[in-house]
Amino acid sequence: MVLLQPFLYGSARKSIRSHLRGNFLDSLRLSVKGGHGGNGLPKYGGVGGQGGAVYFVAKEGKSLKDVVHKYRAKRVVAGNGEESSKARVLGRRGLDEKVDVPVGIRVLENDGAFIAELDEEGKTCLAAGGGSGGCAGNSFLGKAGQTRTLKLDLKLIADVGLVGFPNAGKSTLVRALSNATPKIASYPFTTIRPQIGTIEYEDYRQITIADLPGLIEGAHANFGMGHKFLKHVERTRLLLIIVDVFGFQLSQSHKKRNCLENIYALNKELELYDPTLLEKSCVLLVNKMDKDGAIEEISKYEKYFGNLADGLQHCPEELVPKQLVNLERIIPISAKNVKEIDKVKQAIREVLDEKAAELLSEDAKDGDNLEQLRGKLTERGPKVG
């Protein structure tokens, strides 16, 4: 009977689908320890070497998976300082340990306290300092290095963040827009981890787009791993909101919402998570217009897309937001139609360029105001007693 067990029960064990394996990692806890300072040498007044330090360095192309592969025990230790000796009175400093982390990392204490943000290539953060070497001031005894447990929290840096409920067609859209190859299927939650694709234009302009897993109502309160996904929207410059023209129903126990109600629901989730997200520019895509009945369905609500305030009368009370998103463009599409995808690519570029021009104009205006202020101060001259 023992020999038959693998045959009787082995087939009942279902292997985990490949796309559900944890290939994407956006949070990691690491134990870091600075090197111990070397002991001094009382006879000669020798000073021990300083312990090495642990640093985090932001590098393009790196991932938290790379960190785990290099430090499998999730523990990083710097080198100890050299002890003073007759041959070397001044001990050498211990070797520093530099950990390459992806750009976009926030370094947090174990209790959540903020330490540093590594959002640019080459930015460095001291994770654990080394202990001082032994000398006359500390009885020639080297000190232990700093030991701490830190959390590395990754927020994707992309120009565009794609936001929508499950099965709205996000993965199909990203595949059509960019070089990303997300899994596509006709059931919700196909995308279970964020992905970044690149939209390429004929003049070699490139715009990055983050395909985020489908949100559900309550995402702001971390239902359905809401915080894990919403945090990746924070660093984007443009929100691409996509809704199914026929609406969405999470399950039989949930109420089905039409496409207009879904816009308000997404608006509400963004607002409750972080109201500043609503200050970002938004482009609304109403998807699946190639389906039968899509024209009739969109005609019921399209008059409210241009002015969402007018449609609040049709919005369930629990979905009414305090602040409405700013929709720069409204584009009905089929994510499978090449011509309509080209319209989306052009709209994304136009909105990003318009916002960039506005920022440059504001910076120039601030510069002019500063020069005027300096001129006035120069004209007044210094005050005399």
Side-chain angles (χ1 to χ4, degrees), residues 24-25 57-67 70 98-105 121 154 156:
F24 181 81
L25 189 64
V57 183
K59 293 285 186 181
E60 293 285 357
K62 291 293 180 179
S63 70
L64 289 179
K65 279 284 185 181
D66 296 330
V67 178
K70 186 174 181 180
K98 295 186 178 181
V99 183
D100 291 340
V101 298
V103 176
I105 284 289
E121 168 79 15
L154 174 64
L156 296 178

Side-chain angles (χ1 to χ4, degrees), residues 9-21:
Y9 303 108
S11 61
R13 297 174 183 171
K14 294 183 179 179
S15 60
I16 299 174
R17 286 176 293 176
S18 60
H19 71 280
L20 292 179
R21 295 190 184 110

Side-chain angles (χ1 to χ4, degrees), residues 33-38 49-55 76-83 92-98 128-132 143-146:
K33 183 180 180 181
H36 199 291
Q50 171 85 14
V54 178
Y55 294 95
V76 184
V77 181
N80 295 328
E82 183 183 44
E83 295 193 355
R92 287 177 291 195
R93 176 187 170 88
L95 293 176
D96 293 334
E97 188 68 23
K98 295 186 178 181
S132 58
K143 300 298 182 183
Q146 187 179 18

Side-chain angles (χ1 to χ4, degrees), residues 32-34 53-56 107 115 125-129 146-148 150:
V32 292
K33 183 180 180 181
V54 178
Y55 294 95
F56 295 141
V107 184
I115 297 175
C125 164
L126 175 63
Q146 187 179 18
T147 300
R148 23 187 355 193
L150 301 178

